[in-house]
Amino acid sequence: MEIMNLYNTWLEKATDDADLVAELESIKGNEEEISDRFYTALKFGTAGLRGVIGAGTNRMNIYVVRQATQGLANYVLAKYGKGSVAISHDSRIKADLFMIEAAKVLAANGIKTYITSELQPTPVLSYLVRYFKCQAGIMVTASHNPAKYNGYKAYGEDGCQMTDNAAAAVYDEICKLDMFADVKTMDFDEAIQKGLIEYVDDSVYESYLDKVMEQQVNPGICKGSGLKVVYTPLNGTGNKLVRKVLDRIGVENVEIVKEQELPDGNFTTCPYPNPEIKEALQKGLELCDKVKPDLLLATDPDADRVGIAVKDYDGSYRLITGNEDGVMLTNYILSCKKEQGVLPENPVVVKTIVTTKLINKLCEKYGCELKNVLTGFKYIGEVILNLENKGEENRYLFGFEESYGYLSGTYVRDKDAVVASMLVCEMTAYYKKQGISLAQLIDTLYKEYGYYLNRTFAFEFEGESGMQKMNDIMSGIRENLPKAVDQYKVTKVSDYLLKKETDLITGEVTEITLPTSNVIALQLEGDNGVIIRPSGTEPKIKLYITAVGKDKDDAMEICSELLEASKALLGI
């Protein structure tokens, strides 16, 4: 009955968006459709909100956005007494509308709001928070989800996505609010006139680009290199800024994938606009076959991640994984800075715990401190903040995660496909001048250090019992830690829930100082490894397998063995 009451309330009060009115009318009498929209509310977590666009509490719409923003406003006012917030959006359906609605709520609460006049990449939003010294930020995006989704990422005053504690505090405020009665809003033109809403001046974006340009390792290397690039923004936000940066560093030949050049939240040519998957790069690969570039770049819709493909030995195009690109960029930055004599004392590289351990070898070679953090770029941003607080931010060189997110520099606190695209082009030109392709470069690194194969597998546990089943699996592993996975002895166990790391060779137990997370990592002989991590939001367990072989075939065989043994460990 509560669901029907909610539905009827929306029929009566949700009249500000004609699309929602039509949708609510169209589902009258359809209990299944009504229930799907109202049986729950989108939860505000560390990634903010994310859901299908439409009517109801379980959808992304102006009322859910207004309620979330009122909760954020209450949090900002309670913590700071006053404040300012920066907001931007990507190319998704209704993203600009959601930005405006959020700004109107903040203005009604007396909070100064800076908004962008057009779509911008997520890293730009992080930059705006820091540039204007805001207390919070909002990015309207659903990253690489299918077109029917939109979302709302919340940022703290440091320009990082909100921490668990801050997100929980905002969610507590949201839960106190009646969606229609307790949310303040203000006329947009009045808010502009009163100076409560202000458009970001173009000069600010120029200052962001200046910061990106400061991250060059070999300025001028692209000019006259003959570098040829195919680029696709995947109908998202990267088109203007990525092309501007490539032009400034001297990449003279850039071919754009025309079908994916302009913003389009329908993503008609790549239903799942994620540069991690081949289907999203298909149009780019087809253009590569025609124009034969050195490199394909693909930025995701909010331009915080970039995927690449490189010309292989036979003229075809090889997809490069996020781990491989991160390894090559780390190697490029460290080797060049050392050669130039500008490598800082005690340099720092940061990666997530599920990212390739090949980076360990590079950091050992160059005397670089490697910091491992939990999955999520905000934890990389946290490392930068800690260095900054000690006056040591110049030690930070590079941070990345296997899911195609990279950051050089400290001007933003989120992954940035604009700077990553620049560095990938610069790196390609640098090695091209030496007669080395990126395909040859990664293969050379594999020959030197071993072939590190990183694969991720997900297993679903359906039904209401799914989450309990996953808890039982994790408890069972903790209570009966394996001594081996297949033929490979377990040498170290890192339990991020119990916050302890046990060396099974020496028996030494050390404390893990990272935030608590339900993750178990098994380090195996030969630098192999298995990481087990259940999802916190859906009945799914992820396995991250590292297999190290003499070559790809050897590593694939080891990976297969570890997968079967891991499935047995999980009881699958």
Side-chain angles (χ1 to χ4, degrees):
M1 192 61 193
E2 184 185 349
I3 288 174
M4 286 309 299
N5 287 339
L6 264 176
Y7 169 69
N8 287 325
T9 299
W10 275 62
L11 268 179
E12 177 191 347
K13 296 183 177 179
T15 57
D16 291 348
D17 185 332
D19 292 341
L20 300 185
V21 173
E23 184 180 340
L24 290 165
E25 290 289 345
S26 73
I27 60 174
K28 264 187 182 177
N30 190 327
E31 290 187 14
E32 186 179 342
E33 292 289 347
I34 290 171
S35 178
D36 186 46
R37 287 162 174 78
F38 291 97
Y39 83 94
T40 189
L42 292 182
K43 185 173 180 181
F44 189 98
T46 54
L49 299 166
R50 190 170 296 185
V52 174
I53 302 161
T57 56
N58 190 33
R59 295 287 190 270
M60 280 295 296
N61 53 66
I62 60 172
Y63 300 101
V64 168
V65 167
R66 286 175 181 173
Q67 183 189 37
T69 308
Q70 183 64 57
L72 179 66
N74 291 349
Y75 165 80
V76 167
L77 292 173
K79 184 171 182 179
Y80 300 100
K82 59 180 181 178
S84 61
V85 177
I87 317 179
S88 191
H89 66 91
D90 69 6
S91 60
R92 289 191 173 265
I93 295 164
K94 292 188 181 286
D96 53 347
L97 173 64
F98 294 166
M99 178 187 75
I100 294 296
E101 291 298 330
K104 287 160 61 177
V105 171
L106 292 166
N109 284 273
I111 295 173
K112 175 69 177 277
T113 307
Y114 300 93
I115 64 171
T116 59
S117 56
E118 62 181 11
L119 74 173
Q120 293 291 343
T122 287
V124 169
L125 184 276
S126 175
Y127 181 76
L128 296 179
V129 171
R130 294 175 59 75
Y131 181 90
F132 290 113
K133 297 181 172 57
C134 296
Q135 282 62 55
I138 299 166
M139 182 68 191
V140 182
T141 176
S143 188
H144 54 270
N145 277 59
K148 64 181 180 179
Y149 285 84
N150 209 331
Y152 176 116
K153 285 184 185 176
Y155 287 74
E157 62 181 327
D158 57 355
C160 287
Q161 280 194 56
M162 277 193 170
T163 61
D164 297 349
N165 291 339
V170 173
Y171 185 57
D172 284 345
E173 294 291 343
I174 293 169
C175 291
K176 297 173 188 174
L177 301 170
D178 179 281
M179 190 171 280
F180 297 104
D182 298 334
V183 176
K184 299 177 184 177
T185 189
M186 186 177 191
D187 178 76
F188 182 75
D189 291 335
E190 181 187 351
I192 289 275
Q193 190 177 2
K194 290 184 173 180
L196 286 164
I197 297 176
E198 181 181 317
Y199 281 105
V200 176
D201 188 78
D202 286 348
S203 63
V204 181
Y205 307 127
E206 288 300 313
S207 72
Y208 161 80
L209 287 173
D210 289 342
K211 293 293 184 185
V212 171
M213 293 290 288
E214 287 176 11
Q215 309 314 314
Q216 293 176 92
V217 178
N218 286 291
I221 194 75
C222 292
K223 291 177 182 173
S225 67
L227 184 66
K228 189 172 187 179
V229 177
V230 164
Y231 171 56
T232 172
L234 295 179
N235 301 117
T237 60
N239 190 35
K240 282 191 175 181
L241 292 183
V242 171
R243 290 171 75 174
K244 275 187 179 181
V245 165
L246 297 193
D247 180 63
R248 289 187 187 186
I249 66 171
V251 182
E252 294 156 2
N253 195 337
V254 181
E255 295 270 357
I256 307 298
V257 179
K258 288 298 178 186
E259 302 96 323
Q260 298 172 342
E261 178 179 13
L262 300 178
D264 181 1
N266 293 301
F267 306 117
T268 53
T269 61
C270 57
Y272 199 72
N274 181 353
E276 292 183 61
I277 60 173
K278 187 176 181 179
E279 289 78 6
L281 274 61
Q282 192 55 45
K283 287 290 181 186
L285 291 168
E286 289 170 10
L287 184 55
C288 285
D289 287 337
K290 291 178 184 174
V291 302
K292 300 298 180 185
D294 300 286
L295 176 71
L296 165 65
L297 289 173
T299 53
D300 69 342
D302 64 323
D304 61 352
R305 301 187 308 136
V306 61
I308 70 172
V310 302
K311 189 184 285 187
D312 216 335
Y313 304 104
D314 62 358
S316 65
Y317 286 84
R318 186 199 297 193
L319 295 178
I320 298 295
T321 69
N323 277 316
E324 289 175 329
D325 197 5
V327 164
M328 288 191 290
L329 285 168
T330 304
N331 177 74
Y332 171 65
I333 292 168
L334 289 174
S335 63
C336 287
K337 284 187 177 291
K338 183 170 185 179
E339 187 181 320
Q340 295 163 5
V342 295
L343 197 61
E345 195 173 341
N346 303 318
V348 172
V349 168
V350 194
K351 76 172 187 69
T352 60
I353 59 173
V354 298
T355 298
T356 180
K357 291 191 285 185
L358 179 48
I359 288 297
N360 301 45
K361 303 288 188 183
L362 288 170
C363 287
E364 286 170 18
K365 179 177 179 179
Y366 291 101
C368 185
E369 182 180 353
L370 176 65
K371 290 184 178 289
N372 279 286
V373 297
L374 295 179
T375 305
F377 219 87
K378 65 187 173 197
Y379 296 115
I380 295 176
E382 210 167 57
V383 171
I384 300 172
L385 178 62
N386 291 337
L387 289 170
E388 183 182 57
N389 289 338
K390 293 189 290 184
E392 298 176 3
E393 64 181 294
N394 68 308
R395 289 176 59 204
Y396 172 82
L397 285 187
F398 194 60
F400 81 102
E401 54 189 4
E402 37 73 50
S403 53
Y404 294 61
Y406 316 97
L407 177 64
S408 174
T410 62
Y411 58 99
V412 298
R413 298 298 158 86
D414 210 341
K415 47 194 178 287
D416 187 352
V418 181
V419 77
S421 296
M422 179 190 79
L423 287 172
V424 167
C425 288
E426 189 182 288
M427 173 174 67
T428 308
Y430 174 81
Y431 288 107
K432 181 175 181 175
K433 285 194 172 182
Q434 299 173 39
I436 301 169
S437 70
L438 291 192
Q440 291 170 312
L441 175 63
I442 189 62
D443 288 347
T444 299
L445 291 170
Y446 282 146
K447 282 175 186 172
E448 184 175 353
Y449 299 111
Y451 196 103
Y452 279 71
L453 179 67
N454 298 88
R455 297 285 302 277
T456 304
F457 303 90
F459 304 97
E460 294 189 11
F461 295 81
E462 295 293 347
E464 293 181 13
S465 62
M467 298 297 271
Q468 184 58 50
K469 173 70 173 169
M470 293 195 308
N471 287 334
D472 292 343
I473 288 171
M474 297 300 286
S475 297
I477 294 171
R478 286 191 169 94
E479 290 164 12
N480 299 284
L481 289 173
K483 294 181 179 177
V485 180
D486 195 64
Q487 61 183 297
Y488 303 96
K489 286 182 184 176
V490 179
T491 58
K492 190 178 287 185
V493 177
S494 302
D495 191 323
Y496 294 87
L497 186 64
L498 302 181
K499 303 190 79 166
K500 68 176 185 179
E501 186 171 84
T502 306
D503 189 318
L504 299 189
I505 307 298
T506 64
E508 184 184 3
V509 178
T510 54
E511 182 189 359
I512 293 174
T513 57
L514 298 179
T516 302
S517 186
N518 191 11
V519 178
I520 297 173
L522 307 175
Q523 188 169 311
L524 310 177
E525 291 177 301
D527 223 12
N528 300 295
V530 175
I531 297 176
I532 307 158
R533 183 175 76 91
S535 168
T537 57
E538 53 187 342
K540 186 182 289 184
I541 281 184
K542 282 190 172 183
L543 272 180
Y544 299 85
I545 291 178
T546 297
V548 185
K550 297 187 295 289
D551 53 31
K552 185 175 183 179
D553 290 341
D554 188 30
M556 292 280 281
E557 188 175 331
I558 294 169
C559 182
S560 180
E561 292 168 357
L562 292 176
L563 174 60
E564 291 309 310
S566 298
K567 285 164 69 175
L569 185 64
L570 299 178
I572 297 172

